[in-house]
Amino acid sequence: MDDGNPARTRIQRRNRKAILEAALEVFSAQGFRGATLDQIAAEAGLSKPNLLYYFASKEAIHAELLAGLLDIWLAPLRELDPAGAPQAEILRYVRRKLEMSRAMPRESRLFANEMLQGAPRLAEALPGLKALVDEKAGVIRAWSEAGRLAPVDPHHLIFAIWALTQHYADFEVQVRAVLGPGHDPYDEAGAFLDLLFARLLRV
Amino acid sequence: MDDGNPARTRIQRRNRKAILEAALEVFSAQGFRGATLDQIAAEAGLSKPNLLYYFASKEAIHAELLAGLLDIWLAPLRELDPAGAPQAEILRYVRRKLEMSRAMPRESRLFANEMLQGAPRLAEALPGLKALVDEKAGVIRAWSEAGRLAPVDPHHLIFAIWALTQHYADFEVQVRAVLGPGHDPYDEAGAFLDLLFARLLRV
DNA sequence: CTGCAATCTGACCATACGGTCAGAAAAGGA
DNA sequence: TCCTTTTCTGACCGTATGGTCAGATTGCAG
């Protein structure tokens, strides 16, 4: 019941989906240890034993959430196209990443929680992450060396994009508290980041 | 025993300090719910009942840590000097903030944990935070309008500084995993951020 | 040294939590 | 309909955890 392949019956599909949705809600808001099976079960509209009928353990639910997460999270970076226009490609990446923070703040916070704790349940995925980043860093470096982009450390450029976009999801309370009502943080951030990266990368 | 004024006896000073140090270690690594009094007591070299002789509850320890944190954390921003040279002032702020991430990564993660959970125990401090940020945003806006700084949204500039500097502490595992061995993330970040903000703010 | 206050401890308690299990209820195919 | 499989539940268990307490131990002023 805790395997990765798609659930067979209609009921299984519905309930597994409800559980993962509920778990995302609770895990992202409370962290792994802070979340309880009772909370998740209540949020999913199921009883706790029934929840454990679909997933072997709390760990298993969390693991399944994380498993899907990295792929989704890194998809925009994967699409960075070496054949595209350097500045446009990076700006497009920034915008897509910011859009993900807006549309999936819970996923962002789930990821942040995991990283804050030292990525104990994501450690094995880190080498793959490094490989992808190194590859794309190579693309960016080549653009710089070809004079199509201002010279810049590609790894830290990528870190900067992550930090700046995820910040709006992970620290949303703070951002909203500081801006006060009547602001759309993500809209403003979009404009600001366009400007920032344009100035940073202009040859 | 859980009041704010300085402990009287030598033993109290020593043990309260040890407890807060241990609690910072554990809370920042595990989050509030993830941390246990036993862990903190062990880390501090005290028994759990003895720990509770000095602090009324787990909450009280956490509260005392947070109480001191915001002040320390915002000190560099407070020092942003309206009478200084705009670019130099902001670059100095960035460097000091990055230095804090390097020297106090646990404090950074404690703060991040709190924000991720929606700042339940810091909510009352947010208005004061907004006031400070608004004040400094005013300074930056004035610099921009006087043509001494490239035009830029001051609030989001401050968010950017927070995001970029704290990222290296909060996501340290990820940063190190991606860079691989033989890198000093903070040294490299220092150079990168100097460049970034110089290009962003140049008139 | 004496006696009081400060410090510390082992034993204990109540609750919360992850997880189990026997069996009831519902689905679904024949 | 009948029968098998899937889905679901109430009751329960063991452990972890925050916290209490009576009393032992230690520090220290006189």
Side-chain angles (χ1 to χ4, degrees), chain B residues 30-92:
Chain B
Q30 322 269 7
F32 179 76
R33 296 241 2 216
T36 74
L37 289 181
D38 290 281
Q39 277 177 294
I40 298 175
E43 181 86 19
L46 299 175
S47 69
K48 184 169 65 170
N50 198 16
L51 198 159
L52 288 164
Y53 170 71
Y54 289 100
F55 289 89
S57 65
K58 184 183 179 183
E59 274 275 346
I61 305 177
H62 193 252
E64 183 135 339
L65 275 181
L66 280 187
L69 185 54
L70 251 195
D71 276 345
I72 301 175
W73 218 234
L74 294 175
L77 179 56
R78 282 209 185 78
E79 290 171 21
L80 193 80
D81 183 3
Q87 268 218 41
E89 281 298 316
I90 289 174
L91 279 179
R92 196 168 66 92

Side-chain angles (χ1 to χ4, degrees), chain A residues 25-67:
Chain A
E25 187 73 25
V26 178
F27 280 136
S28 68
Q30 322 270 6
F32 180 76
R33 296 240 2 215
T36 73
L37 288 181
D38 290 282
Q39 278 177 293
I40 299 174
E43 180 86 20
L46 300 174
S47 68
K48 184 169 64 170
N50 199 16
L51 197 159
L52 289 163
Y53 170 72
Y54 289 100
F55 289 88
S57 65
K58 185 182 179 183
E59 274 276 347
I61 305 177
H62 193 253
E64 183 135 340
L65 276 181
L66 280 187

Side-chain angles (χ1 to χ4, degrees), chain B residues 1-8 12 16 20 53-57 60-61 63-65 67:
Chain B
M1 198 56 62
D2 55 346
D3 49 32
N5 57 19
R8 286 174 198 74
Q12 272 188 42
R16 285 180 62 94
L20 289 173
Y53 170 71
Y54 289 100
F55 289 89
S57 65
I61 305 177
E64 183 135 339
L65 275 181

Side-chain angles (χ1 to χ4, degrees), chain A residues 147-175:
Chain A
R148 306 174 66 196
L149 215 56
V152 69
D153 183 314
H155 283 95
H156 289 269
L157 172 62
I158 292 172
F159 293 154
I161 295 171
W162 290 347
L164 287 166
T165 54
Q166 292 170 193
H167 184 83
Y168 286 91
D170 301 344
F171 289 70
E172 185 170 338
V173 208
Q174 194 186 28
V175 167

Side-chain angles (χ1 to χ4, degrees), chain B residues 19-184:
Chain B
I19 291 169
L20 289 173
E21 159 69 22
L24 174 59
E25 186 73 25
V26 178
F27 279 136
S28 68
Q30 322 269 7
F32 179 76
R33 296 241 2 216
T36 74
L37 289 181
D38 290 281
Q39 277 177 294
I40 298 175
E43 181 86 19
L46 299 175
S47 69
K48 184 169 65 170
N50 198 16
L51 198 159
L52 288 164
Y53 170 71
Y54 289 100
F55 289 89
S57 65
K58 184 183 179 183
E59 274 275 346
I61 305 177
H62 193 252
E64 183 135 339
L65 275 181
L66 280 187
L69 185 54
L70 251 195
D71 276 345
I72 301 175
W73 218 234
L74 294 175
L77 179 56
R78 282 209 185 78
E79 290 171 21
L80 193 80
D81 183 3
Q87 268 218 41
E89 281 298 316
I90 289 174
L91 279 179
R92 196 168 66 92
Y93 176 43
V94 172
R95 282 191 214 105
R96 286 208 49 192
K97 202 75 179 47
L98 183 63
E99 202 43 53
M100 285 186 65
S101 279
R102 166 185 249 150
M104 305 196 269
R106 296 175 308 175
E107 282 84 348
S108 182
R109 286 192 277 262
L110 182 71
F111 188 78
N113 260 306
E114 183 64 13
M115 280 302 159
L116 268 183
Q117 323 282 319
R121 307 156 208 279
L122 217 54
E124 48 199 47
L126 292 182
L129 171 65
K130 172 169 166 49
L132 173 64
V133 174
D134 282 344
E135 176 204 331
K136 296 305 183 180
V139 172
I140 295 171
R141 176 170 291 115
W143 283 339
S144 283
E145 283 169 359
R148 306 174 66 195
L149 215 55
V152 70
D153 183 314
H155 284 95
H156 289 269
L157 172 62
I158 291 172
F159 293 154
I161 295 171
W162 290 348
L164 288 166
T165 54
Q166 292 170 191
H167 184 82
Y168 287 92
D170 301 343
F171 289 70
E172 185 170 338
V173 209
Q174 194 187 28
V175 167
R176 290 193 187 278
V178 167
L179 289 181
H183 289 261
D184 182 328

Side-chain angles (χ1 to χ4, degrees), chain A residues 10 18 39 80 82 102 117 128 152 171 181-182 195:
Chain A
R10 183 173 27 103
Q39 278 177 293
L80 194 79
R102 166 186 251 150
Q117 322 283 319
V152 69
F171 289 70
L195 185 81

